[in-house]
Amino acid sequence: MKVAVSGFKGRMGHEVVKTVLKEADLELVAVVDHEPKEKNIREITEFSTLDVPVFGNLSEMLDEIKPDCVVDFTTPKVGYSNTKTILEHGVSAVVGTTGFTPEQIEHLREIAESKKIGALIAPNFAVGAVLMMQFAQKAAKYFPNVEIIELHHDNKLDAPSGTAVKTAEMMAETREFVKQGATDEVELIEGARGAEYEGMRIHSVRLPGLVAHQEVIFGAEGQGLTVRHDSYDRISFMSGVALSVRKTKELETLIYGLENILD
Ligand code: NAP
């Protein structure tokens, strides 16, 4: 499959480039950056023979190169418009960029279906994180008192993380509604109790040295349960990205969430 990478200079994009180069059935055909300083990338770490065109404009790349799939890891500001551009060109998309609203995902799904192409958007491509979300969803049925603590590096632009929102959405499907905390609780400093989603509280920690981590803490009378996942390295996301790229060939719709393509 001919694969292009949008946001190739970023932390995730760089890792995706290395992954595409390593996988025998995937061919890196182009990369996109919004402010490119070079025409070709010739060296990325150990792959010194590389010579791939660099585009400053996604549409131009799609018109000229016609890849089978574009992997996008850019920023929440441009994630939606980039995905729309890719799908409108009739090209498959695998998108890890976070910050999509449910309405945007629905609109992108309509475009994918009208063009009969496959696409996958996932707030987390780490298989362990998907399992963490599924375990949390299962536990929420029996433990409706729950709070999420997500922890990321301090260059992350959006809060709460896409993974935390997705976890809360999944738990809301199995959990009986409970508003966390005392009914008459007061925040002495604004934000002390975190963000609220369907009565659940989400707390975002940003520190240098972290990659992507999440704890889902359940409490009940006399017992507690914690489900935790840690991505110590961005390589943890790459098997999910490669699987998703291959999966788009079989799809004629957009799928949201890696869990929906795992057996
Ligand atoms: P990052 O290091 O800031 O990389 C983003 C890259 O995109 C930067 O090189 C940025 O360039 C570039 N960019 C910005 N606008 C662009 C545009 N219009 N076209 C092409 N490139 C553009 O961020 P990151 O840590 O790699 O994360 C990227 C996204 O993936 C974030 O939304 C993050 O939350 C998400 N993420 C998802 C997963 C997952 O598993 N789904 C895992 C980790 C992160 P400049 O720096 O020059 O602006």
Side-chain angles (χ1 to χ4, degrees):
M1 286 179 78
K2 292 181 182 172
V3 181
V5 179
S6 164
F8 82 104
K9 282 190 182 165
R11 287 170 288 256
M12 289 297 287
H14 182 76
E15 204 61 46
V16 174
V17 165
K18 289 199 288 175
T19 300
V20 173
L21 292 169
K22 263 189 256 168
E23 299 289 324
D25 59 330
L26 306 181
E27 183 193 355
L28 185 71
V29 289
V31 293
V32 185
D33 179 48
H34 58 146
E35 290 170 344
K37 292 188 178 60
E38 61 283 83
K39 288 202 157 143
N40 290 279
I41 44 168
R42 295 210 164 76
E43 277 180 52
I44 291 189
T45 61
E46 65 264 41
F47 304 99
S48 55
T49 56
L50 186 66
D51 199 352
V52 173
V54 180
F55 286 80
N57 181 293
L58 185 60
S59 291
E60 272 173 31
M61 184 279 289
L62 290 159
D63 289 336
E64 209 172 300
I65 301 291
K66 300 187 177 20
D68 298 312
C69 182
V70 179
V71 180
D72 186 284
F73 278 92
T74 53
T75 65
K77 249 191 202 165
V78 297
Y80 172 67
S81 60
N82 275 7
T83 311
K84 194 162 171 273
T85 302
I86 299 163
L87 298 181
E88 282 175 346
H89 276 76
V91 172
S92 287
V94 169
V95 181
T97 310
T98 45
F100 289 85
T101 64
E103 295 74 26
Q104 288 176 334
I105 289 169
E106 201 38 52
H107 187 225
L108 294 168
R109 182 176 290 128
E110 282 165 19
I111 301 174
E113 288 180 0
S114 73
K115 297 267 182 190
K116 292 192 183 319
I117 46 171
L120 198 132
I121 299 177
N124 202 315
F125 280 100
V127 173
V130 169
L131 292 172
M132 174 266 294
M133 290 187 254
Q134 289 177 335
F135 296 154
Q137 184 183 39
K138 190 163 191 190
K141 182 177 175 189
Y142 306 99
F143 292 84
N145 286 290
V146 55
E147 304 219 359
I148 299 172
I149 302 178
E150 57 96 340
L151 311 92
H152 284 82
H153 59 88
D154 58 349
N155 290 311
K156 183 165 174 58
L157 297 179
D158 50 337
S161 71
T163 304
V165 175
K166 174 89 178 155
T167 310
E169 285 169 359
M170 286 171 67
M171 289 197 293
E173 288 171 20
T174 56
R175 172 183 176 266
E176 171 196 325
F177 181 90
V178 175
K179 193 166 182 323
Q180 289 312 125
T183 48
D184 54 352
E185 73 180 5
V186 176
E187 275 186 336
L188 298 180
I189 299 177
E190 197 186 322
R193 291 288 291 121
E196 191 193 324
Y197 181 89
E198 299 260 331
M200 290 173 263
R201 294 289 177 170
I202 306 176
H203 310 270
S204 299
V205 177
R206 298 289 176 265
L207 285 172
L210 295 174
V211 178
H213 317 257
Q214 181 167 294
E215 270 185 24
V216 187
I217 306 175
F218 299 90
E221 284 189 352
Q223 58 178 326
L225 172 67
T226 301
V227 185
R228 179 173 174 120
H229 175 259
D230 296 276
S231 276
Y232 301 116
D233 189 300
R234 289 181 178 83
I235 199 154
S236 61
F237 304 111
M238 292 303 126
S239 58
V241 171
L243 175 74
S244 303
V245 168
R246 294 183 183 108
K247 186 73 185 176
T248 56
K249 279 198 295 189
E250 299 166 23
L251 300 173
E252 292 191 348
T253 185
L254 180 148
I255 288 184
Y256 177 61
L258 186 69
E259 66 281 9
N260 295 311
I261 62 162
L262 297 176
D263 292 335

